[in-house]
Amino acid sequence: MTTETLVRATTRTLNYGIIGCGMMGQEHLRNIALLDNTAIGAIFEPDAEMRAHARKLAPNAQFVDSIDALLDVEDLDCLLIASPNFRHLEQLQAIAARRPLPILVEKPLFTDATQAAQISEFAATYPAPVWVAMEYRYMPPVAKLLEQADAATGGIKMLTIREHRFPFLHKVGDWNRFNSQTGGTFVEKCCHFFDLMRLALKSNPVRVMAMGGQAVNHFDEKVDGKTPDVFDHGYVIVDFENGSRAMLELCMFAEGARFQEEISAVGPTGKIEAFVPGPGRFWPASLGEAPVPEVIISPRSPKGPRLEPVPVDPTLLEAGDHNGSTFYQHQGFAALVRNEISAASVTVSDGYWAVLMGLAAQRSMEERRCVEMSEFL
Ligand SMILES: NC(=O)c1ccc[n+]([C@@H]2O[C@H](COP(=O)([O-])OP(=O)(O)OC[C@H]3O[C@@H](n4cnc5c(N)ncnc54)[C@H](O)[C@@H]3O)[C@@H](O)[C@H]2O)c1
């Protein structure tokens, strides 16, 4: 697939309002710009340096100094929330109270189990579409694994996701250094993987058993006199309602690896794997071209693994750190706002489950016990 074939010409220009425009917000701006008939109408970004970066990417946008001022801007068609995790719920609620436009909201939807009921209330009453940014689904090698998993495995029984990557990057105000602001590492970043588990296994989780902690990263840092407390590694095992099982292995001091994510799904007839490289900008030029994603299908009979490279369009690679997935997500979201599709691919319910699984993993690690999902429901 090339960008050209993916960008659908439409007549209506979609005007976006952006809330939070740091690293991820700017990736969104670059990807929205790749779609025809889109414009950035207004941006609320409190940090002057990030505003300056955003202005270069969206020179025609109006910059405002609050959510209220953003919601006063006429002619907005939709909103994107890319602020720090602990702001998402309050901002969804503020938008609901004033001007319920279609929203693309970054993960995680919330950061604390006590907020789950408020998200359910929001989902039940918000009158416009909401899409949760779980973009790992759209990385081409992951999408291919999801598409072919049933045929390759005969129905997945075991799903393993391994992420070996770089430590958390520095964020504005270091908001990502503390569990209280992120929900914990297994909520903050691993909600993507819990979302993939539910999607691939077509089932909801029943119980979670996990071990993990902080072994290597951030001990030498201080933020307002406090040492960061975010975990940097762990194992999480999940039982699903339909009898299938999944496991996540996370290590955040392993950026030397060739691939960042390695996913394997196995069923009665075979196995399928996806190998996903990390951001190309971190691959040293001295090592040549960055690795190309791969999918391997390994039937049990007749034996014979087949490796298929799954290259990503270079234009999309340039536009972000997520193997082109931000573009595909925006393509879907734009179609939703234009009523070309009837529902978000990633619903508030999906975002809610992914956070609950992350919270269950954190609780299991902290309390050293198996956690039933019913504790949260
Ligand atoms: N889907 C993904 O793969 C993915 C990847 C990275 C980050 N994210 C998510 O995107 C969000 C932003 O992360 P980031 O990496 O861009 O962090 P960041 O710190 O680079 O950017 C966050 C921005 O929000 C601004 N901000 C702070 N308070 C705000 C408020 N009250 N209202 C509006 N803006 C505010 C900050 O000034 C900053 O510029 C987080 O929720 C993160 O989890 C998602």
Side-chain angles (χ1 to χ4, degrees):
M1 286 191 289
T2 66
T3 316
E4 209 173 5
T5 55
L6 287 161
V7 176
R8 226 183 304 156
T10 54
T11 47
R12 187 153 91 82
T13 294
L14 289 189
N15 204 22
Y16 292 69
I18 312 283
I19 298 168
C21 218
M23 190 209 80
M24 198 58 204
Q26 291 162 36
E27 176 165 330
H28 282 290
L29 293 185
R30 287 193 295 274
N31 281 278
I32 293 168
L34 293 175
L35 290 169
D36 278 350
N37 296 322
T38 57
I40 307 299
I43 297 178
F44 166 43
E45 166 50 60
D47 181 76
E49 192 182 332
M50 290 300 158
R51 270 202 307 279
H53 288 303
R55 193 169 275 122
K56 282 188 200 139
L57 293 167
N60 298 322
Q62 177 181 345
F63 281 78
V64 297
D65 59 7
S66 68
I67 299 260
D68 267 341
L70 183 99
L71 295 176
D72 285 340
V73 175
E74 284 178 16
D75 298 333
L76 294 181
D77 294 299
C78 55
L79 301 170
L80 164 74
I81 300 179
S83 56
N85 299 0
F86 64 102
R87 296 288 178 205
H88 296 172
L89 172 62
E90 70 186 33
Q91 293 180 334
L92 288 169
Q93 290 170 329
I95 295 163
R98 281 272 326 266
R99 192 172 167 197
L101 290 166
I103 306 175
L104 176 62
V105 54
E106 266 303 344
K107 44 52 63 172
L109 272 180
F110 59 104
T111 54
D112 190 287
T114 59
Q115 300 166 332
Q118 294 177 68
I119 280 290
S120 298
E121 163 75 13
F122 169 83
T125 53
Y126 197 74
V130 180
W131 182 308
V132 183
M134 290 293 188
E135 59 201 41
Y136 276 57
R137 294 176 174 211
Y138 311 110
M139 290 183 176
V142 176
K144 190 167 185 130
L145 179 143
L146 290 168
E147 243 168 58
Q148 301 196 1
D150 280 346
T153 66
I156 307 172
K157 298 292 178 202
M158 295 178 71
L159 176 70
T160 307
I161 301 178
R162 170 194 276 176
E163 183 174 58
H164 280 191
R165 59 160 272 179
F166 50 93
F168 280 121
L169 298 173
H170 275 285
K171 301 288 168 183
V172 176
D174 286 319
W175 64 265
N176 65 348
R177 292 303 195 256
F178 297 97
N179 294 319
S180 58
Q181 299 187 135
T182 62
T185 299
F186 287 82
V187 173
E188 146 58 14
K189 62 173 324 319
C190 299
C191 60
H192 281 299
F193 304 125
F194 298 131
D195 177 61
L196 287 183
M197 288 178 185
R198 284 184 62 248
L199 186 66
L201 299 175
K202 305 181 185 80
S203 186
N204 279 329
V206 179
R207 67 188 59 82
V208 171
M209 201 156 68
M211 293 180 193
Q214 186 180 11
V216 174
N217 296 345
H218 314 307
F219 287 116
D220 54 350
E221 298 175 16
K222 287 270 188 243
V223 181
D224 294 334
K226 286 186 292 187
T227 306
D229 62 8
V230 280
F231 292 178
D232 57 16
H233 74 286
Y235 297 100
V236 183
I237 306 173
V238 189
D239 266 343
F240 281 81
E241 276 169 3
N242 65 4
S244 56
R245 299 202 160 91
M247 185 175 89
L248 169 68
E249 173 186 328
L250 175 73
C251 177
M252 297 191 68
F253 39 91
E255 63 270 37
R258 183 168 181 73
F259 291 108
Q260 183 166 294
E261 282 90 19
E262 300 177 30
I263 305 177
S264 93
V266 193
T269 62
K271 169 172 170 173
I272 182 167
E273 294 161 282
F275 296 89
V276 185
R281 67 186 167 111
F282 298 151
W283 186 254
S286 60
L287 296 179
E289 292 292 308
V292 172
E294 294 169 2
V295 166
I296 303 178
I297 297 175
S298 310
R300 289 176 81 185
S301 172
K303 272 191 190 176
R306 294 193 311 274
L307 186 154
E308 297 174 26
V310 190
V312 178
D313 184 324
T315 311
L316 304 189
L317 284 178
E318 272 293 304
D321 282 343
H322 298 92
N323 283 280
S325 58
T326 308
F327 174 80
Y328 296 110
Q329 175 178 265
H330 271 292
Q331 204 175 37
F333 179 65
L336 179 67
V337 179
R338 291 189 172 107
N339 289 318
E340 293 166 1
I341 56 174
S342 59
S345 300
V346 192
T347 62
V348 174
S349 171
D350 292 325
Y352 168 91
W353 273 103
V355 171
L356 288 190
M357 291 173 76
L359 290 170
Q362 292 278 146
R363 186 178 289 182
S364 179
M365 289 172 191
E366 282 153 15
E367 300 183 6
R368 300 182 182 187
R369 64 178 179 91
C370 186
V371 171
E372 297 291 325
M373 291 309 297
S374 57
E375 293 177 30
F376 295 93
L377 299 173

